Amino acid sequence: MNNFILLGLGRCGSNLVKKALNQNTRIFMGGELYNRNVFPESKNTDGEERAKQFYIENSGSAVEAVGFKLFLHQGQKGAASSVWTYLQNCKDIRILRLTRKNYFERILSLEVARKTKKWATRKVKEDAERDGIRIDHSIEWWQEKLVNDENMNKELDGLFQDHFCAHYFYEDIVENWN
């Protein structure tokens, strides 16, 4: 069995990749297993056991690869935090690293999603314009967010150095879907 995680920050195309992978019947790609808004129980559940159980429950004779999405801010508190140690120590778990080259676009998309409450849409800019969404932040706010993105991506890149890691960029996937 090939177990993997789709690792990144939000608004980098993880829903798009999830949908694409799930079109292959030999792959089972789950969602954000440690998203407390979707799975409130995840914060009180042992993170390592939750991941192990997920891999077991979703593997089968026809399934060759099982994975879930994990963002840097997820599974960081309480019992769930054991997922990070487990994943780092389990060297046979493969990493699909997803990044957005344009940090500004990622942060803007995140701000629009927060305001519109639309998290899985292909038309972020159009939705924002249609709904009259304005993002009014100071230059300093944007500078801080851009530096934070750079630092978070460096942290993610360093976490799984001993694992097989395939790095993909949102812009490349969208530009060349095949």
Side-chain angles (χ1 to χ4, degrees):
M1 178 61 55
N2 295 302
N3 293 334
F4 67 92
I5 56 172
L6 181 60
L7 182 68
L9 303 174
R11 313 311 295 171
C12 288
S14 63
N15 282 324
L16 178 64
V17 171
K18 176 186 171 192
K19 288 178 184 177
L21 290 175
N22 277 330
Q23 290 179 9
N24 185 328
T25 58
R26 297 182 328 229
I27 300 172
F28 180 82
M29 174 71 202
E32 298 171 44
L33 198 57
Y34 297 89
N35 181 332
R36 293 182 297 163
N37 295 322
V38 178
F39 301 106
E41 72 279 5
S42 68
K43 66 181 176 181
N44 300 321
T45 306
D46 180 273
E48 177 178 349
E49 289 305 313
R50 185 172 177 79
K52 286 178 179 177
Q53 196 63 33
F54 176 84
Y55 288 129
I56 291 168
E57 288 176 0
N58 293 294
S59 60
S61 60
V63 176
E64 296 175 17
V66 176
F68 61 88
K69 294 170 24 175
L70 185 63
F71 299 151
L72 182 60
H73 67 279
Q74 296 173 338
Q76 292 286 352
K77 296 179 181 174
S81 65
S82 65
V83 68
W84 289 95
T85 304
Y86 165 68
L87 293 171
Q88 286 174 308
N89 290 335
C90 195
K91 305 294 187 228
D92 60 336
I93 292 178
R94 298 166 188 235
I95 310 302
L96 299 181
R97 180 75 170 85
L98 188 57
T99 309
R100 199 160 179 162
K101 292 177 186 177
N102 188 326
Y103 294 168
F104 176 80
E105 289 284 339
R106 187 197 84 79
I107 297 164
L108 179 61
S109 177
L110 183 60
E111 288 297 293
V112 170
R114 284 179 175 153
K115 288 189 178 231
T116 62
K117 306 290 187 230
K118 295 178 184 175
W119 295 94
T121 179
R122 294 186 297 171
K123 300 177 181 177
V124 172
K125 290 179 187 175
E126 293 88 343
D127 287 349
E129 289 173 6
R130 184 196 65 238
D131 296 342
I133 301 295
R134 292 184 45 90
I135 308 296
D136 294 319
H137 294 301
S138 68
I139 291 171
E140 294 79 18
W141 184 92
W142 284 102
Q143 288 172 331
E144 179 183 332
K145 292 297 182 185
L146 291 168
V147 168
N148 284 344
D149 256 37
E150 180 70 24
N151 291 335
M152 289 186 294
N153 277 304
K154 284 180 182 176
E155 182 178 349
L156 284 171
D157 288 340
L159 286 174
F160 298 98
Q161 293 179 359
D162 297 332
H163 289 68
F164 168 85
C165 182
H167 200 146
Y168 301 96
F169 293 97
Y170 168 79
E171 292 86 350
D172 295 339
I173 293 170
V174 172
E175 184 177 309
N176 184 6
W177 182 245
N178 293 327

